Amino acid sequence: MKRTDTMKTNSTAKPIVRMEKLNKHFGPLHVLKDVDLAVIPGEVVVIIGASGSGKSTLIRCINGLEEFQQGYLDVDGKVLKPHGKASQALQEIRTEVGMVFQQFNLFPHLSVLENVTLAPRKVRQASREEAMNTAHRLLERVGIADQASKYPAQLSGGQQQRVALARALAMEPRLMLFDEPTSALDPEMIGEVLDAMRELARDGMTMVIVTHEMNFAREVADRVIYIHQGEIIEQGTPDEVFDNPQNERTQSFLSRVLTH
Amino acid sequence: MDITFQFDWQAAFASIPYLLKGIPYTLLISFVGLAIGFVIGIIFGLLRISPAFWLRWPAIAYIEIFRGTPVLVQVLFIFYGLPQLLGGPIDAITAGIAAIAVNSGAYISEVVRGGVQSIARGQREAGLSLGLSRVKTFRYVIWPQAFRRMIPALGNQGIISIKDTSLFAVIGVGELVRQGQIYIATTFRALEVYLMVALLYLVITLTLSLALRMLERKGLVGQ
Ligand SMILES: Nc1ncnc2c1ncn2[C@@H]1O[C@H](COP(=O)(O)OP(=O)(O)OP(=O)(O)O)[C@@H](O)[C@H]1O
Ligand SMILES: [Mg+2]
């Protein structure tokens, strides 16, 4: 959320994500090219770009769902090595970084409550009661307290995505990643998910969001990054990027997505 | 010669107490063999999908060998062949259990592989992204879902293996068919006795089918 928070404007604040000259290939395909990205605690970064430009790949590198080949990446001081296989650092990063996926990816064999309590219980070793209390509080916060005993298939898309958000928040993440959280939703359900995200931003959560919801981006982002064919070619405040884009590719992308 | 053959119900019923003596062996070999086969199936099914070639190829070799050869040959090999290697005889029941185990294990490996691979990639990613280790992601997220999908195929394999134990009459295991053969040798009522043998197999396999159907229905509640 745009706040005049000194922490964020303070360039000496230690970034929670530090990515330097990151390169990622899928076989012959060079998907991320020398990407530099630093995210400061409390910052909301929105990544935009055309389909196939590497947005998902970029944020999936942050929690190690994709490995990269060259470059430097640390998350909250824990270094992820290139070609990173399972490591202690990776494990620690994943417990501190939450992710919300386009397809929700709720666990269909578990109830809503079990979805939200699974990781706290099995990773953080929280007691059943403790985990349930947290879960109820979070479900309340995202507005689905009354659905706790249902199964994912019994919920609407918007409700499922809010459960997915609560599930990630139950691990008390220091950083939240969102990969097109509303792209799989019917239009009338997009608002409820964006509202929950807005509130999270307002509460000071550090967020990296891939989205095509430009109005939402303009409203919540501290910084907007435009990525084109695996390269960050423009970034700045929403006003800078949306109202006065410098790069002609950004201009043409925005003219395509903003004119409807 | 009497051409109006009379089905002798009395002989049929009279054979039952005798045949029932074979059932414990049939069940013992089936269930112990299948239980071991299930463990083998989980291990080799997972090795089969390992990204590491040196873990994957032994699993492929095992599956192809034991799926591609008849159970009868396997049990003959174990009962008559292995003792030559081991230098001591193998008990017929043990040989039967071992044959069911390695044979069903090969098929169940493929069932496990299919089940696990049928779970969408996003499930694994969601588990990992929550900080669950790979093992915990498998245990709490992938396996419960995969197992539910595997139930019908596992049931099939159970039924096939139960019927396969009938082959072990040839090595002298006193199972259902063997009991029938012995009884026929003294009574000459082949038709009646084999019919009863068939019915008893049906009772066992239908009971299993029913139990599985109930298990499946229970599993569906959460979906
Ligand atoms: N697992 C993979 N194997 C091979 N190529 C891949 C894989 N995942 C992505 N790619 C390719 O990498 C490029 C970047 O993909 P990515 O999913 O990051 O794009 P994106 O910006 O998120 O696109 P979208 O808006 O459609 O989600 C694309 O060309 C894509 O085809
Ligand atoms: Mg994407």
Side-chain angles (χ1 to χ4, degrees):
Chain A
M1 214 58 197
K2 278 180 267 180
R3 295 166 303 168
T4 45
D5 188 326
T6 49
M7 186 171 65
K8 271 184 287 179
T9 49
N10 179 357
S11 59
T12 61
K14 196 175 169 308
I16 187 165
V17 176
R18 202 146 62 89
M19 199 180 259
E20 283 164 16
K21 297 242 174 300
L22 194 99
N23 282 276
K24 159 85 187 167
H25 304 258
F26 279 118
L29 197 64
H30 197 171
V31 183
L32 296 177
K33 299 167 187 160
D34 283 340
V35 171
D36 292 316
L37 173 70
V39 180
I40 295 163
E43 196 178 17
V44 176
V45 175
V46 168
I47 300 173
I48 59 173
S51 180
S53 56
K55 307 180 295 294
S56 298
T57 307
L58 175 58
I59 69 165
R60 287 160 58 87
C61 281
I62 296 174
N63 67 349
L65 288 183
E66 300 290 356
E67 55 170 58
F68 55 95
Q69 280 77 38
Q70 295 115 35
Y72 176 85
L73 173 58
D74 88 49
V75 179
D76 206 17
K78 293 159 199 86
V79 179
L80 266 181
K81 298 245 163 57
H83 309 287
K85 294 284 176 242
S87 68
Q88 187 60 32
L90 176 61
Q91 196 59 42
E92 285 172 21
I93 287 168
R94 284 176 176 163
T95 62
E96 290 177 17
V97 177
M99 186 162 199
V100 170
F101 302 86
Q102 181 174 350
Q103 299 297 336
F104 328 138
N105 296 348
L106 290 180
F107 306 136
H109 61 301
L110 300 179
S111 70
V112 165
L113 195 61
E114 289 164 337
N115 264 275
V116 180
T117 55
L118 180 69
R121 294 194 60 195
K122 302 303 176 193
V123 180
R124 296 237 191 262
Q125 314 298 338
S127 73
R128 200 177 130 80
E129 207 192 347
E130 207 182 328
M132 298 241 286
N133 288 340
T134 310
H136 281 300
R137 180 170 53 74
L138 289 168
L139 289 172
E140 185 107 31
R141 181 167 160 191
V142 296
I144 31 178
D146 48 339
Q147 314 285 342
S149 59
K150 287 198 177 162
Y151 283 86
Q154 297 170 295
L155 303 181
S156 73
Q159 290 172 324
Q160 290 191 48
Q161 193 61 301
R162 286 181 286 149
V163 173
L165 179 57
R167 177 177 71 175
L169 293 177
M171 286 296 285
E172 295 174 352
R174 304 203 47 217
L175 166 69
M176 280 293 300
L177 308 174
F178 295 84
D179 191 1
E180 300 197 32
T182 58
S183 295
L185 295 176
D186 291 336
E188 74 271 20
M189 294 173 186
I190 291 175
E192 63 197 51
V193 171
L194 294 182
D195 283 343
M197 290 171 64
R198 243 178 230 118
E199 196 188 314
L200 195 60
R202 205 176 297 129
D203 290 348
M205 175 63 78
T206 313
M207 297 159 79
V208 179
I209 305 168
V210 173
T211 185
H212 294 298
E213 296 293 328
M214 296 302 161
N215 291 329
F216 173 76
R218 185 189 277 276
E219 182 191 337
V220 303
D222 295 303
R223 179 153 54 115
V224 175
I225 289 177
Y226 175 66
I227 179 167
H228 176 79
Q229 292 180 2
E231 277 179 279
I232 293 180
I233 62 173
E234 180 144 7
Q235 58 179 308
T237 64
D239 293 343
E240 288 165 355
V241 174
F242 287 124
D243 298 335
N244 191 17
Q246 301 300 305
N247 190 296
E248 64 185 49
R249 292 213 180 82
T250 319
Q251 291 163 6
S252 94
F253 171 76
L254 288 172
S255 71
R256 267 179 288 132
V257 296
L258 291 179
T259 54
H260 48 253
Chain B
M1 194 180 132
D2 182 8
I3 47 157
T4 58
F5 181 86
Q6 280 287 316
F7 187 88
D8 186 346
W9 283 105
Q10 213 170 351
F13 289 127
S15 72
I16 289 179
Y18 197 83
L19 296 178
L20 286 178
K21 288 197 281 183
I23 293 216
Y25 293 103
T26 297
L27 294 181
L28 174 78
I29 295 172
S30 307
F31 285 93
V32 177
L34 281 165
I36 299 170
F38 187 53
V39 174
I40 294 176
I42 293 174
I43 295 169
F44 282 81
L46 296 181
L47 290 178
R48 173 75 183 74
I49 39 184
S50 163
F53 176 73
W54 52 274
L55 287 177
R56 202 167 57 234
W57 81 257
I60 294 174
Y62 162 74
I63 293 165
E64 294 301 339
I65 289 168
F66 287 94
R67 243 183 6 170
T69 54
V71 192
L72 182 58
V73 175
Q74 289 164 11
V75 79
L76 291 173
F77 181 87
I78 294 169
F79 187 65
Y80 294 112
L82 274 191
Q84 288 183 13
L85 286 176
L86 303 176
I90 293 177
D91 161 67
I93 292 173
T94 310
I97 289 173
I100 292 295
V102 293
N103 184 264
S104 70
Y107 284 96
I108 294 172
S109 296
E110 286 293 275
V111 172
V112 168
R113 174 175 79 97
V116 169
Q117 286 183 333
S118 77
I119 305 303
R121 200 177 62 156
Q123 290 291 304
R124 181 166 184 272
E125 292 179 349
L128 294 177
S129 78
L130 285 165
L132 293 165
S133 65
R134 286 188 304 172
V135 172
K136 284 180 180 171
T137 297
F138 180 77
R139 175 161 167 214
Y140 299 112
V141 177
I142 308 298
W143 180 253
Q145 297 184 60
F147 182 71
R148 270 172 211 190
R149 293 192 189 175
M150 284 159 44
I151 291 174
L154 289 175
N156 262 340
Q157 187 53 47
I159 287 168
I160 290 169
S161 291
I162 288 170
K163 293 185 298 178
D164 281 348
T165 62
S166 63
L167 297 166
F168 304 157
V170 300
I171 57 166
V173 177
E175 48 67 67
L176 202 39
V177 168
R178 177 86 180 141
Q179 297 296 342
Q181 290 173 334
I182 296 170
Y183 194 72
I184 291 164
T186 57
T187 62
F188 306 104
R189 308 303 312 192
L191 180 73
E192 289 82 356
V193 175
Y194 280 131
L195 184 72
M196 288 302 119
V197 168
L199 285 177
L200 287 174
Y201 275 110
L202 256 184
V203 169
I204 299 172
T205 54
L206 286 178
T207 308
L208 181 63
S209 286
L210 207 71
L212 284 163
R213 206 158 304 160
M214 273 159 40
L215 189 65
E216 245 180 283
R217 200 167 306 153
K218 217 175 115 211
L220 286 176
V221 173
Q223 303 273 342

